[in-house]
Amino acid sequence: MLKSKESIKATGCMCLVKPLIIVMQDKAKDIRELGDKVMSIVIKQTGYKSFEASIQDLKPAVKNSLIAILAKYKLETAESKSPVNTHNKQSRNGVMSRSKSNQSIGQRKKPPRDPKASALVSSEAPLMKAARLRSNLSSSTLSPAKLNNTSKSSKLLRNQLSASTASASEYLKVEAVKLNERGVHNKQITIDINAAVKLLNNEDIAQKLDGLILLDEKIRACIESEEEINAETVNEIFLSLSDILQWVFDKPALEMPLKFTKYFLNVFATLCTSKSIVTAMKQPTALQVLEQLILKLQYEGLNELGANSEGKAMMNSLEVSIVKLVGGCDTNTIFGILTEILAKYKADSKATSTIIKALTQFNNEVEASELDIQKTLLAIHRYLSQVQAISKIDEESKEVAIFKTILNKLIEFRKGLVLEVYMNSIGMHPDLHLKQWINLIFKSVNSHISSIPRKKILNNK
């Protein structure tokens, strides 16, 4: 279509406006770039307003992105029109100035017209003009050569118009096929993944292995092509994998299918590397999966399983899955999950050690702007309430140090709003530690600010 630019210009191309709007919303960058090139030609013929009118009914986000693209063409079309207007204005001014000069030379005024006569002249003027035009056309003669050239040019124009229309329709057909293929492809991936999940839920280990191979193939394809899997399907995948995790690690070390388990955990880790997949998981499922991973990492003698270091590979896959889940899940969701699991397995030193590592990772990566004040305070308060019911809170423990660091980040960023949220959500409940920590951090932050010279504070502002 781009090869026949002149034929595009020869048409009005209003029929291409809406198809081009659709093309500019395509996910593929190369298709959008081609659409942009075609649009740069078409918009000069149809005008900016025709495209602007076509995007009014779109969703706000899509509409705003298209407005940004169309903005550059608005300027171009405005600039291309402005010289013509200036020329017309100058020519009009020239005529007016000449008429004025002619009037000044004669130094005579025209006699006033009769209103009736002037009305008659004005009504007859178009008729006279039309008659004069007809007479000119009838009196003018064209040579055979000119007639031949005229017929050739009109024939060429008709050919160009038909070529342009054919090119446009072909282009739109190709794009429609691509969109249809993409939709069919996405549906097929969902069907294949659902088939894999059914195989995973089968009791026969051979069927489970077939399901894993199919799932691994489809997940890798989705990650490479950056295709999204719907949330419901993601949830089903993780629930099935969680069941297999339980099924495998419930077996004694001698009965565990090592090769299968090693491959299974490798597929699990691959799945967790995709942030779009992990974030689609529901909170209860994320809690179940992360809890399972942490507990299975404590399997007795896991590191020593297998003649070919299968146990070490399995441990590595479990650790990678935990790290990727902590880094990929929603910030406030994962913090609540980690504190809940920590309170549940506080008596298990091995599990606690793994959870503390995950919390440390979270603390190192999280920004204060990502934290929801209420959800963060409630997560810490729930943990303290559950642990206090069993034993005293150890102020020197690693988890308490992490909680205080997170609170410090929040208070430095949100200031007095943290205390306000605390009073409105937790202040009415029994609390021995959280309010005390908040007050101490407030004093520390305020004393630090007051110790900074006033000039520096003003400069920072």
Side-chain angles (χ1 to χ4, degrees), residues 235 239 278-291 329-341 375 379 382:
N235 224 49
L239 286 172
V278 169
T279 50
M281 200 176 5
K282 294 177 182 176
Q283 184 169 346
T285 307
L287 172 61
Q288 179 180 326
V289 168
L290 192 57
E291 184 178 356
C329 280
D330 172 72
T331 300
N332 297 291
T333 299
I334 199 65
F335 183 64
I337 288 171
L338 286 171
T339 52
E340 188 173 338
I341 298 172
K375 288 180 180 177
R382 286 196 195 100

Side-chain angles (χ1 to χ4, degrees), residues 1 16 162-177:
M1 188 173 183
L16 293 177
S162 61
S164 173
T165 308
S167 300
S169 63
E170 283 299 317
Y171 176 77
L172 293 173
K173 281 178 184 176
V174 169
E175 290 307 310
V177 168

Side-chain angles (χ1 to χ4, degrees), residues 124-383:
E124 287 179 354
L127 297 172
M128 291 170 68
K129 199 171 183 180
R132 189 163 57 254
L133 184 60
R134 279 197 299 274
S135 66
N136 289 340
L137 288 170
S138 61
S139 62
S140 62
T141 56
L142 289 172
S143 65
K146 284 185 178 179
L147 284 168
N148 190 33
N149 289 337
T150 306
S151 63
K152 278 183 180 179
S153 62
S154 62
K155 190 175 181 181
L156 178 64
L157 180 60
R158 282 197 299 274
N159 290 339
Q160 286 176 341
L161 289 172
S162 61
S164 173
T165 308
S167 300
S169 63
E170 283 299 317
Y171 176 77
L172 293 173
K173 281 178 184 176
V174 169
E175 290 307 310
V177 168
K178 284 182 181 177
L179 288 170
N180 187 48
E181 284 176 354
R182 193 175 289 119
V184 170
H185 180 62
N186 289 344
K187 283 181 183 177
Q188 188 59 48
I189 283 177
T190 304
I191 291 166
D192 290 343
I193 290 174
N194 288 335
V197 169
K198 284 184 180 179
L199 289 168
L200 291 174
N201 294 334
N202 200 295
E203 290 184 6
D204 182 20
I205 193 168
Q207 295 284 321
K208 288 182 186 293
L209 182 59
D210 288 341
L212 271 179
I213 293 167
L214 180 59
L215 181 66
D216 188 25
E217 179 191 333
K218 297 304 171 185
I219 292 299
R220 287 179 189 276
C222 287
I223 292 171
E224 285 173 13
S225 61
E226 296 182 352
E227 290 185 41
E228 291 186 6
I229 306 171
N230 68 68
E232 202 61 44
T233 304
V234 169
N235 224 49
E236 288 297 322
I237 293 168
F238 275 107
L239 286 172
S240 296
L241 294 180
S242 180
D243 289 343
I244 293 176
L245 202 61
Q246 186 72 40
W247 173 76
V248 167
F249 281 90
D250 275 351
K251 299 179 182 296
L254 294 173
E255 295 178 20
M256 185 184 286
L258 295 181
K259 288 184 179 179
F260 172 86
T261 309
K262 180 184 172 182
Y263 178 60
F264 160 70
L265 291 175
N266 187 43
V267 173
F268 204 123
T270 302
L271 191 67
C272 293
T273 57
S274 171
K275 192 163 185 176
S276 62
I277 292 174
V278 169
T279 50
M281 200 176 5
K282 294 177 182 176
Q283 184 169 346
T285 307
L287 172 61
Q288 179 180 326
V289 168
L290 192 57
E291 184 178 356
Q292 287 287 338
L293 290 169
I294 290 167
L295 290 177
K296 301 324 171 195
L297 199 57
Q298 319 312 319
Y299 189 87
E300 192 68 36
L302 178 61
N303 196 36
E304 298 169 1
L305 287 177
N308 299 311
S309 303
E310 285 91 348
K312 286 182 180 178
M314 287 153 62
M315 277 191 75
N316 182 59
S317 294
L318 285 167
E319 287 170 351
V320 168
S321 298
I322 292 168
V323 168
K324 294 299 180 183
L325 276 176
V326 171
C329 280
D330 172 72
T331 300
N332 297 291
T333 299
I334 199 65
F335 183 64
I337 288 171
L338 286 171
T339 52
E340 188 173 338
I341 298 172
L342 182 61
K344 188 175 180 180
Y345 296 98
K346 180 64 178 168
D348 187 335
S349 58
K350 286 184 179 180
T352 301
S353 176
T354 305
I355 301 162
I356 293 295
K357 282 181 184 177
L359 272 170
T360 304
Q361 176 200 337
F362 173 84
N363 183 36
N364 292 337
E365 294 175 358
V366 76
E367 298 289 336
S369 57
E370 299 175 74
L371 293 166
D372 180 280
I373 300 173
Q374 187 173 10
K375 288 180 180 177
T376 305
L377 295 179
L378 282 170
I380 297 172
H381 177 68
R382 286 196 195 100
Y383 169 81

Side-chain angles (χ1 to χ4, degrees), residues 36-101:
D36 196 24
K37 288 178 183 177
V38 177
M39 188 187 287
S40 67
I41 302 164
V42 173
I43 201 166
K44 288 176 184 176
Q45 308 304 314
T46 61
Y48 170 81
K49 287 187 177 180
S50 59
F51 280 86
E52 187 180 37
S54 297
I55 64 173
Q56 295 305 314
D57 297 331
L58 298 175
K59 291 180 180 178
V62 178
K63 183 180 172 183
N64 290 337
S65 65
L66 289 172
I67 286 172
I69 295 167
L70 291 170
K72 60 179 180 181
Y73 296 119
K74 186 177 183 180
L75 291 171
E76 286 176 13
T77 51
E79 285 172 5
S80 63
K81 287 179 182 178
S82 59
V84 176
N85 294 338
T86 307
H87 174 71
N88 291 341
K89 190 174 181 181
Q90 286 174 351
S91 64
R92 285 198 300 272
N93 289 341
V95 171
M96 287 173 70
S97 62
R98 282 197 298 275
S99 65
K100 283 181 182 178
S101 63

